[in-house]
């Protein structure tokens, strides 16, 4: 029977949260942290996530990028540098180092990457099949209604802002609420205002652009999401659709890049959030 991947910490309210499994009365984390005081904790607590466990979760839940090499050098590293184990679908090593988009030129391997991979493999061997948290789709349905955290009101549904992860009314959300009979008025007003402008102006412009896109000379290359700019198109592992970039907001101190993209198959514009080190195939007209 699959074991669920759960959050573990030594304190119920704060501290460091790890990802792992409960094997009988024994806890085991993805980063090999051992403590008799580790206990399961709920979601949405004030704990600080363990960075090693968070990278292990990325490795579990991201589809690999076609043709990914087994090792890449660190970004801006020399030819003799050690190779790092890439997290699938990312230009990010298991050790947390940003990676170059070329294969590693040497057989030497990063010790920290190897150590975390060994700890991760040990968890999978001991736990067997892991029941993973649901993976959020690349671009969700903006019209679905969500329930707020604490689920005190399941009658009212909220529209989710894909960039913030909260409702358009700024309330934290817990999950989909298919049984909602009414919609949050604030969410509806903010969403309808944005959607009106997009359908009247942005969608027609981007539709015309997408129709002639493949008739143009394009540079096609692998890179990280933080390099995307308005006017690019991209694809990424786990999603078959081409995304046409309308606008980008990349704040250097954050882990994510916020994008406004046109999705031709769905005839809509959507807000997306990608990790800055997400590996994408960029299609860009020569500049």
């Amino acid at each position: 029977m699959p074991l669920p991947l759960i959050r573990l910490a030594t304190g119920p309210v704060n501290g460091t949260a790890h990802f792992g499994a409960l094997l009988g009365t024994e806890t085991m984390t993805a980063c090999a942290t051992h403590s008799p005081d580790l206990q399961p904790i709920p979601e949405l607590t004030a704990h600080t996530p363990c960075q090693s466990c968070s990278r292990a979760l990325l490795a579990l839940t991201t589809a690999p990028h076609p043709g990914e090499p087994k090792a890449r050098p660190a970004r801006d590293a020399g030819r003799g540098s050690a190779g790092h184990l890439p997290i699938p679908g990312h230009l990010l090593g298991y050790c947390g180092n940003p990676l170059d988009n070329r294969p590693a030129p040497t057989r030497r391997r990063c010790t920290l990457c190897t150590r975390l991979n060994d700890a991760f493999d040990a968890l999978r061997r001991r736990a067997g099949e892991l029941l993973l948290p649901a993976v959020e789709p690349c671009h969700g349905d903006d019209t679905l209604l969500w329930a707020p955290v604490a689920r005190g009101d399941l009658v009212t549904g909220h529209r989710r802002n894909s960039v913030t992860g909260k409702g358009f009314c700024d309330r934290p959300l817990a999950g989909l609420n298919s049984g909602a009979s009414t919609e949050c008025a604030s969410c509806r007003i903010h969403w309808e205002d944005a959607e009106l402008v997009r359908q009247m102006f942005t969608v027609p412009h981007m539709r015309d652009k997408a129709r002639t896109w493949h008739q143009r000379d394009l540079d096609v290359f692998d890179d990280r999401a933080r390099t995307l700019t308005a006017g690019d198109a991209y694809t990424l592992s786990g999603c078959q659709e081409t995304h046409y970039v309308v606008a980008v907001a990349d704040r250097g101190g954050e882990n994510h890049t916020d994008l406004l993209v046109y999705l031709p198959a769905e005839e809509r514009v959507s807000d997306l959030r990608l990790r800055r080190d997400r590996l994408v195939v960029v299609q860009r007209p020569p500049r």
Side-chain angles (χ1 to χ4, degrees), residues 18 28 31 38 40 48 53 57 62 113 120 132 135 137 140 161 167 174 244:
H18 301 271
M28 193 171 186
C31 65
L38 282 171
T48 302
C53 285
L57 182 62
T62 309
C113 283
F120 190 26
L132 301 174
V135 179
N161 186 325
Y244 294 85

Side-chain angles (χ1 to χ4, degrees), residues 154 159 198 234-235 237 249 267 279:
L154 293 180
R159 300 228 183 194
R198 292 175 180 183
Y234 72 91
T235 56
S237 62
E267 279 287 288
L279 179 58

Side-chain angles (χ1 to χ4, degrees), residues 9 163 210 248 252 270:
V163 170
V248 179
S270 182

Side-chain angles (χ1 to χ4, degrees), residues 162-240:
S162 299
V163 170
T164 65
K166 299 180 179 180
F168 275 87
C169 64
D170 209 35
R171 289 193 65 175
L173 303 177
L176 289 173
N177 184 9
S178 57
S181 57
T182 61
E183 183 177 344
C184 167
S186 179
C187 283
R188 185 179 64 251
I189 291 170
H190 284 91
W191 181 83
E192 287 179 347
D193 287 347
E195 191 65 11
L196 178 64
V197 173
R198 292 175 180 183
Q199 290 298 326
M200 288 183 64
F201 302 105
T202 311
V203 168
H205 170 71
M206 295 304 297
R207 184 193 298 125
D208 292 341
K209 185 174 183 178
R211 283 174 179 165
T212 60
W213 184 254
H214 292 290
Q215 300 172 13
R216 310 170 68 179
D217 292 329
L218 298 170
D219 294 329
V220 181
F221 53 93
D222 289 352
D223 214 327
R224 45 179 44 83
R226 71 175 182 83
T227 65
L228 291 169
T229 60
D232 291 345
Y234 72 91
T235 56
L236 74 172
S237 62
C239 182
Q240 299 299 315

Side-chain angles (χ1 to χ4, degrees), residues 3-7 19-21 30 43 57 60 123 130-133:
L3 286 175
L5 191 73
I6 58 175
R7 297 172 83 231
F19 288 105
E43 298 294 328
L57 182 62
L60 270 175
L123 170 64
L130 286 169
L131 186 62
L132 301 174

Side-chain angles (χ1 to χ4, degrees), residues 275-287:
R275 290 186 63 90
R276 300 181 85 232
D277 288 299
R278 189 72 157 90
L279 179 58
V280 295
V281 180
V282 183
Q283 301 173 25
R284 178 177 293 166
R287 294 172 180 172

Side-chain angles (χ1 to χ4, degrees), residues 5-57:
L5 191 73
I6 58 175
R7 297 172 83 231
L8 298 159
T10 57
V13 178
N14 51 35
T16 301
H18 301 271
F19 288 105
L22 192 61
L23 295 83
T25 58
E26 181 187 356
T27 57
M28 193 171 186
T29 70
C31 65
T33 294
H34 298 285
S35 172
D37 299 323
L38 282 171
Q39 296 294 328
I41 56 172
E43 298 294 328
L44 302 172
T45 60
H47 293 78
T48 302
C50 167
Q51 294 302 306
S52 294
C53 285
S54 297
R55 292 193 294 272
L57 182 62

